PDB file of all heavy atoms in Angstrom:
ATOM      1  N   SER A  96      12.418  76.044  20.529  1.00 96.00           N
ATOM      2  CA  SER A  96      13.321  76.618  21.533  1.00 96.00           C
ATOM      3  C   SER A  96      12.774  77.913  22.129  1.00 96.00           C
ATOM      4  O   SER A  96      13.038  78.217  23.293  1.00 96.00           O
ATOM      5  CB  SER A  96      14.697  76.884  20.911  1.00 96.00           C
ATOM      6  OG  SER A  96      15.274  75.683  20.470  1.00 96.00           O
ATOM      7  N   LYS A  97      12.012  78.683  21.332  1.00 90.00           N
ATOM      8  CA  LYS A  97      11.468  79.960  21.813  1.00 90.00           C
ATOM      9  C   LYS A  97      10.010  80.071  21.405  1.00 90.00           C
ATOM     10  O   LYS A  97       9.613  79.617  20.345  1.00 90.00           O
ATOM     11  CB  LYS A  97      12.244  81.125  21.219  1.00 90.00           C
ATOM     12  CG  LYS A  97      13.692  81.174  21.638  1.00 90.00           C
ATOM     13  CD  LYS A  97      14.406  82.336  20.969  1.00 90.00           C
ATOM     14  CE  LYS A  97      15.873  82.304  21.339  1.00 90.00           C
ATOM     15  NZ  LYS A  97      16.645  83.291  20.600  1.00 90.00           N
ATOM     16  N   GLY A  98       9.231  80.670  22.247  1.00 86.00           N
ATOM     17  CA  GLY A  98       7.863  81.007  21.897  1.00 86.00           C
ATOM     18  C   GLY A  98       6.832  79.899  22.025  1.00 86.00           C
ATOM     19  O   GLY A  98       5.647  80.146  21.899  1.00 86.00           O
ATOM     20  N   GLY A  99       7.262  78.681  22.253  1.00 90.00           N
ATOM     21  CA  GLY A  99       6.309  77.588  22.446  1.00 90.00           C
ATOM     22  C   GLY A  99       5.409  77.322  21.252  1.00 90.00           C
ATOM     23  O   GLY A  99       4.278  76.878  21.411  1.00 90.00           O
ATOM     24  N   SER A 100       5.901  77.581  20.040  1.00 94.00           N
ATOM     25  CA  SER A 100       5.038  77.433  18.867  1.00 94.00           C
ATOM     26  C   SER A 100       4.735  75.976  18.511  1.00 94.00           C
ATOM     27  O   SER A 100       3.764  75.718  17.808  1.00 94.00           O
ATOM     28  CB  SER A 100       5.642  78.165  17.665  1.00 94.00           C
ATOM     29  OG  SER A 100       6.982  77.758  17.461  1.00 94.00           O
ATOM     30  N   PHE A 101       5.541  75.019  18.983  1.00 97.00           N
ATOM     31  CA  PHE A 101       5.236  73.599  18.781  1.00 97.00           C
ATOM     32  C   PHE A 101       5.997  72.768  19.810  1.00 97.00           C
ATOM     33  O   PHE A 101       7.068  73.156  20.282  1.00 97.00           O
ATOM     34  CB  PHE A 101       5.547  73.122  17.358  1.00 97.00           C
ATOM     35  CG  PHE A 101       6.936  73.464  16.865  1.00 97.00           C
ATOM     36  CD1 PHE A 101       8.010  72.605  17.103  1.00 97.00           C
ATOM     37  CD2 PHE A 101       7.165  74.626  16.154  1.00 97.00           C
ATOM     38  CE1 PHE A 101       9.284  72.918  16.642  1.00 97.00           C
ATOM     39  CE2 PHE A 101       8.436  74.946  15.679  1.00 97.00           C
ATOM     40  CZ  PHE A 101       9.498  74.089  15.934  1.00 97.00           C
ATOM     41  N   ASP A 102       5.405  71.659  20.174  1.00 97.00           N
ATOM     42  CA  ASP A 102       6.003  70.749  21.155  1.00 97.00           C
ATOM     43  C   ASP A 102       5.307  69.401  21.016  1.00 97.00           C
ATOM     44  O   ASP A 102       4.095  69.306  21.151  1.00 97.00           O
ATOM     45  CB  ASP A 102       5.802  71.295  22.565  1.00 97.00           C
ATOM     46  CG  ASP A 102       6.443  70.422  23.642  1.00 97.00           C
ATOM     47  OD1 ASP A 102       7.097  69.406  23.312  1.00 97.00           O
ATOM     48  OD2 ASP A 102       6.297  70.772  24.823  1.00 97.00           O
ATOM     49  N   THR A 103       6.069  68.369  20.742  1.00 97.00           N
ATOM     50  CA  THR A 103       5.479  67.036  20.595  1.00 97.00           C
ATOM     51  C   THR A 103       5.124  66.406  21.938  1.00 97.00           C
ATOM     52  O   THR A 103       4.370  65.453  21.985  1.00 97.00           O
ATOM     53  CB  THR A 103       6.466  66.078  19.906  1.00 97.00           C
ATOM     54  OG1 THR A 103       7.642  65.953  20.730  1.00 97.00           O
ATOM     55  CG2 THR A 103       6.820  66.558  18.522  1.00 97.00           C
ATOM     56  N   GLY A 104       5.695  66.926  23.020  1.00 97.00           N
ATOM     57  CA  GLY A 104       5.597  66.216  24.290  1.00 97.00           C
ATOM     58  C   GLY A 104       6.521  65.005  24.209  1.00 97.00           C
ATOM     59  O   GLY A 104       7.267  64.840  23.242  1.00 97.00           O
ATOM     60  N   ASP A 105       6.487  64.174  25.228  1.00 98.00           N
ATOM     61  CA  ASP A 105       7.350  63.000  25.260  1.00 98.00           C
ATOM     62  C   ASP A 105       6.946  61.994  24.187  1.00 98.00           C
ATOM     63  O   ASP A 105       5.765  61.674  24.052  1.00 98.00           O
ATOM     64  CB  ASP A 105       7.272  62.302  26.620  1.00 98.00           C
ATOM     65  CG  ASP A 105       7.923  63.112  27.730  1.00 98.00           C
ATOM     66  OD1 ASP A 105       8.531  64.162  27.442  1.00 98.00           O
ATOM     67  OD2 ASP A 105       7.816  62.696  28.897  1.00 98.00           O
ATOM     68  N   ILE A 106       7.943  61.517  23.440  1.00 98.00           N
ATOM     69  CA  ILE A 106       7.722  60.479  22.425  1.00 98.00           C
ATOM     70  C   ILE A 106       8.525  59.255  22.866  1.00 98.00           C
ATOM     71  O   ILE A 106       9.757  59.291  22.879  1.00 98.00           O
ATOM     72  CB  ILE A 106       8.172  60.909  21.017  1.00 98.00           C
ATOM     73  CG1 ILE A 106       7.580  62.260  20.629  1.00 98.00           C
ATOM     74  CG2 ILE A 106       7.796  59.836  19.993  1.00 98.00           C
ATOM     75  CD1 ILE A 106       8.160  62.840  19.338  1.00 98.00           C
ATOM     76  N   ALA A 107       7.838  58.207  23.243  1.00 98.00           N
ATOM     77  CA  ALA A 107       8.489  56.979  23.700  1.00 98.00           C
ATOM     78  C   ALA A 107       9.201  56.286  22.534  1.00 98.00           C
ATOM     79  O   ALA A 107       8.861  56.514  21.371  1.00 98.00           O
ATOM     80  CB  ALA A 107       7.452  56.036  24.318  1.00 98.00           C
ATOM     81  N   PRO A 108      10.170  55.440  22.835  1.00 98.00           N
ATOM     82  CA  PRO A 108      10.856  54.696  21.772  1.00 98.00           C
ATOM     83  C   PRO A 108       9.860  53.930  20.900  1.00 98.00           C
ATOM     84  O   PRO A 108       8.912  53.331  21.406  1.00 98.00           O
ATOM     85  CB  PRO A 108      11.764  53.734  22.528  1.00 98.00           C
ATOM     86  CG  PRO A 108      11.977  54.383  23.861  1.00 98.00           C
ATOM     87  CD  PRO A 108      10.694  55.113  24.160  1.00 98.00           C
ATOM     88  N   GLY A 109      10.049  54.000  19.583  1.00 98.00           N
ATOM     89  CA  GLY A 109       9.182  53.290  18.646  1.00 98.00           C
ATOM     90  C   GLY A 109       7.852  53.968  18.390  1.00 98.00           C
ATOM     91  O   GLY A 109       7.001  53.429  17.687  1.00 98.00           O
ATOM     92  N   ARG A 110       7.645  55.146  18.929  1.00 98.00           N
ATOM     93  CA  ARG A 110       6.379  55.875  18.754  1.00 98.00           C
ATOM     94  C   ARG A 110       6.589  57.105  17.896  1.00 98.00           C
ATOM     95  O   ARG A 110       7.703  57.468  17.551  1.00 98.00           O
ATOM     96  CB  ARG A 110       5.814  56.304  20.118  1.00 98.00           C
ATOM     97  CG  ARG A 110       5.518  55.174  21.065  1.00 98.00           C
ATOM     98  CD  ARG A 110       4.394  54.323  20.529  1.00 98.00           C
ATOM     99  NE  ARG A 110       4.092  53.252  21.464  1.00 98.00           N
ATOM    100  CZ  ARG A 110       2.885  52.827  21.729  1.00 98.00           C
ATOM    101  NH1 ARG A 110       1.850  53.362  21.138  1.00 98.00           N
ATOM    102  NH2 ARG A 110       2.702  51.838  22.560  1.00 98.00           N
ATOM    103  N   SER A 111       5.490  57.775  17.584  1.00 98.00           N
ATOM    104  CA  SER A 111       5.568  58.998  16.802  1.00 98.00           C
ATOM    105  C   SER A 111       4.580  60.013  17.341  1.00 98.00           C
ATOM    106  O   SER A 111       3.676  59.675  18.100  1.00 98.00           O
ATOM    107  CB  SER A 111       5.278  58.709  15.320  1.00 98.00           C
ATOM    108  OG  SER A 111       3.962  58.245  15.166  1.00 98.00           O
ATOM    109  N   ALA A 112       4.788  61.261  16.948  1.00 98.00           N
ATOM    110  CA  ALA A 112       3.885  62.356  17.311  1.00 98.00           C
ATOM    111  C   ALA A 112       3.824  63.303  16.125  1.00 98.00           C
ATOM    112  O   ALA A 112       4.757  63.374  15.325  1.00 98.00           O
ATOM    113  CB  ALA A 112       4.388  63.082  18.550  1.00 98.00           C
ATOM    114  N   THR A 113       2.722  64.027  16.014  1.00 97.00           N
ATOM    115  CA  THR A 113       2.548  64.983  14.926  1.00 97.00           C
ATOM    116  C   THR A 113       2.230  66.350  15.513  1.00 97.00           C
ATOM    117  O   THR A 113       1.452  66.458  16.458  1.00 97.00           O
ATOM    118  CB  THR A 113       1.415  64.530  13.986  1.00 97.00           C
ATOM    119  OG1 THR A 113       1.773  63.256  13.439  1.00 97.00           O
ATOM    120  CG2 THR A 113       1.201  65.507  12.847  1.00 97.00           C
ATOM    121  N   PHE A 114       2.846  67.381  14.939  1.00 97.00           N
ATOM    122  CA  PHE A 114       2.522  68.742  15.339  1.00 97.00           C
ATOM    123  C   PHE A 114       2.266  69.576  14.090  1.00 97.00           C
ATOM    124  O   PHE A 114       2.601  69.163  12.976  1.00 97.00           O
ATOM    125  CB  PHE A 114       3.640  69.368  16.198  1.00 97.00           C
ATOM    126  CG  PHE A 114       4.929  69.655  15.475  1.00 97.00           C
ATOM    127  CD1 PHE A 114       5.147  70.879  14.857  1.00 97.00           C
ATOM    128  CD2 PHE A 114       5.939  68.699  15.423  1.00 97.00           C
ATOM    129  CE1 PHE A 114       6.336  71.137  14.189  1.00 97.00           C
ATOM    130  CE2 PHE A 114       7.137  68.960  14.771  1.00 97.00           C
ATOM    131  CZ  PHE A 114       7.336  70.183  14.153  1.00 97.00           C
ATOM    132  N   THR A 115       1.665  70.738  14.295  1.00 96.00           N
ATOM    133  CA  THR A 115       1.377  71.651  13.198  1.00 96.00           C
ATOM    134  C   THR A 115       2.414  72.758  13.193  1.00 96.00           C
ATOM    135  O   THR A 115       2.653  73.402  14.220  1.00 96.00           O
ATOM    136  CB  THR A 115      -0.037  72.252  13.355  1.00 96.00           C
ATOM    137  OG1 THR A 115      -0.981  71.182  13.403  1.00 96.00           O
ATOM    138  CG2 THR A 115      -0.378  73.181  12.206  1.00 96.00           C
ATOM    139  N   ALA A 116       3.036  72.967  12.041  1.00 97.00           N
ATOM    140  CA  ALA A 116       4.035  74.030  11.901  1.00 97.00           C
ATOM    141  C   ALA A 116       3.364  75.387  12.094  1.00 97.00           C
ATOM    142  O   ALA A 116       2.167  75.553  11.831  1.00 97.00           O
ATOM    143  CB  ALA A 116       4.686  73.960  10.520  1.00 97.00           C
ATOM    144  N   PRO A 117       4.118  76.359  12.560  1.00 96.00           N
ATOM    145  CA  PRO A 117       3.552  77.709  12.708  1.00 96.00           C
ATOM    146  C   PRO A 117       2.980  78.225  11.390  1.00 96.00           C
ATOM    147  O   PRO A 117       3.410  77.820  10.310  1.00 96.00           O
ATOM    148  CB  PRO A 117       4.767  78.549  13.142  1.00 96.00           C
ATOM    149  CG  PRO A 117       5.710  77.562  13.757  1.00 96.00           C
ATOM    150  CD  PRO A 117       5.510  76.291  12.982  1.00 96.00           C
ATOM    151  N   SER A 118       2.032  79.138  11.489  1.00 96.00           N
ATOM    152  CA  SER A 118       1.393  79.680  10.287  1.00 96.00           C
ATOM    153  C   SER A 118       2.145  80.883   9.740  1.00 96.00           C
ATOM    154  O   SER A 118       1.809  81.375   8.670  1.00 96.00           O
ATOM    155  CB  SER A 118      -0.057  80.058  10.597  1.00 96.00           C
ATOM    156  OG  SER A 118      -0.093  80.996  11.659  1.00 96.00           O
ATOM    157  N   THR A 119       3.151  81.349  10.456  1.00 95.00           N
ATOM    158  CA  THR A 119       3.952  82.468   9.990  1.00 95.00           C
ATOM    159  C   THR A 119       5.310  81.977   9.489  1.00 95.00           C
ATOM    160  O   THR A 119       5.870  81.014  10.025  1.00 95.00           O
ATOM    161  CB  THR A 119       4.180  83.497  11.115  1.00 95.00           C
ATOM    162  OG1 THR A 119       4.795  82.838  12.223  1.00 95.00           O
ATOM    163  CG2 THR A 119       2.869  84.100  11.576  1.00 95.00           C
TER     164      THR A 119
END
Side-chain angles (χ1 to χ4, degrees):
S96 298
K97 296 178 184 173
S100 52
F101 51 88
D102 182 3
T103 62
D105 290 354
I106 309 171
R110 300 294 181 141
S111 64
T113 299
F114 69 90
T115 302
S118 58
T119 57

